[in-house]
Amino acid sequence: MSEELLHALNATPTVRLVQITQCIDTVMRVKLNWAPLVKVWNVPTGESHIGHLITLFVNLSPKKAKFKGTELPCGHLIPDGTFPIERYNGCPFCGTQFETANFVYTGQASKLKELRLFTRSDMQRVCMPLLQSPTPLDGTQSDSLKLLLQTLPLPENTNIAMKETAMLVAKTLVEQDKADQAALFFKNPTDVLRYLWYEKTGYAQIIEPRTLIAHAERLYYHMWGSLGKGAKAAETEGHD
């Protein structure tokens, strides 16, 4: 830790310190399960496409209990001769883990990271480029901007170049009961329509409903007809 951060944490309640530690553990993925799905993963298991296909048909069959095999906790029946299940820490068909490792890999050529105090001025330096970005924000940037606007007031006379960013800011302000500030982003009826569309779909660009319906149908398509949900997804999108 930097000296400034250390002094700041000295006055921090224990409960808050625990929350900070949990956040660091999540970011650094300390709580991940390091047990591999396949034991001795560098030795081939001998599984084949035919084994996957047989397992698929067996589990789709309403009479799968009549087949010889091993039923795993995830509900899948692994027929004899398809997978060497003794080589797996989980289900070889769906990938569900059943074993948890009690170790964590450390020191993999990684360097120590210095934690520094993130002040309000630092937050403002991060916030302004996001607001003035000439390109649409990605998911991480959008989440960062939302979090920053929950703490920082919207800077005055900010020139927001992208409509997508303006709609995100307007929605955040409305959620904070600052509708008067959000109204500044509505210059014409198209902006109002764009905001309503963004509230409904999460997209700042106005897209024809038929395009969304076709996209939903393709997104939920499955080569095995009975497992496909494209028609239902398209119908739901159409009603929405």
Side-chain angles (χ1 to χ4, degrees), residues 193-209:
L193 179 61
R194 188 187 304 276
Y195 174 76
L196 295 175
W197 182 259
Y198 180 73
E199 279 277 10
K200 179 67 175 178
T201 65
Y203 299 106
Q205 295 180 345
I206 301 177
I207 305 173
E208 293 185 1

Side-chain angles (χ1 to χ4, degrees), residues 7-207:
H7 287 307
L9 292 180
N10 283 336
T12 303
T14 304
V15 175
R16 185 60 174 167
L17 290 175
V18 171
Q19 294 174 344
I20 294 174
T21 304
Q22 291 174 345
C23 180
I24 295 174
D25 289 345
T26 301
V27 173
M28 300 305 297
R29 303 181 179 182
V30 173
K31 302 297 183 181
L32 290 183
N33 180 11
W34 291 95
L37 179 63
V38 179
K39 301 175 183 177
V40 194
W41 57 269
N42 57 334
V43 178
T45 60
E47 65 181 67
S48 63
H49 295 295
I50 298 298
H52 281 272
L53 191 60
I54 293 174
T55 306
L56 171 64
F57 282 118
V58 167
N59 283 276
L60 289 176
S61 173
K63 300 179 180 179
K64 73 174 185 178
K66 295 184 178 181
F67 293 92
K68 293 183 179 180
T70 303
E71 186 167 0
L72 300 178
C74 61
H76 289 128
L77 177 66
I78 308 300
D80 293 341
T82 54
F83 294 95
I85 57 176
E86 69 279 357
R87 289 285 311 279
Y88 293 87
N89 288 319
C91 176
F93 185 62
C94 68
T96 301
Q97 289 277 82
F98 302 141
E99 300 291 335
T100 302
N102 57 0
F103 58 86
V104 177
Y105 288 115
T106 58
Q108 301 179 74
S110 59
K111 298 180 181 179
L112 291 176
K113 297 176 175 60
E114 183 183 18
L115 300 181
R116 297 190 179 97
L117 185 63
F118 194 60
T119 63
R120 182 172 289 269
S121 59
D122 294 327
M123 296 170 65
Q124 292 172 344
R125 283 197 297 269
V126 174
C127 186
M128 288 304 297
L130 294 176
L131 291 171
Q132 298 174 349
S133 173
T135 58
L137 304 180
D138 59 26
T140 301
Q141 292 172 325
S142 298
D143 290 340
S144 298
L145 183 57
K146 290 178 184 177
L147 291 173
L148 289 170
L149 291 177
Q150 291 176 6
T151 303
L152 298 175
L154 183 67
E156 296 182 0
N157 302 322
T158 303
N159 182 23
I160 301 181
M162 299 302 301
K163 291 291 185 181
E164 290 85 349
T165 306
M167 295 302 102
L168 184 150
V169 173
K171 183 177 180 181
T172 304
L173 292 174
V174 170
E175 292 173 350
Q176 297 175 357
D177 295 327
K178 299 179 181 178
D180 53 337
Q181 296 185 34
L184 299 175
F185 296 98
F186 304 134
K187 307 295 184 182
N188 51 58
T190 304
D191 290 338
V192 177
L193 179 61
R194 188 187 304 276
Y195 174 76
L196 295 175
W197 182 259
Y198 180 73
E199 279 277 10
K200 179 67 175 178
T201 65
Y203 299 106
Q205 295 180 345
I206 301 177
I207 305 173

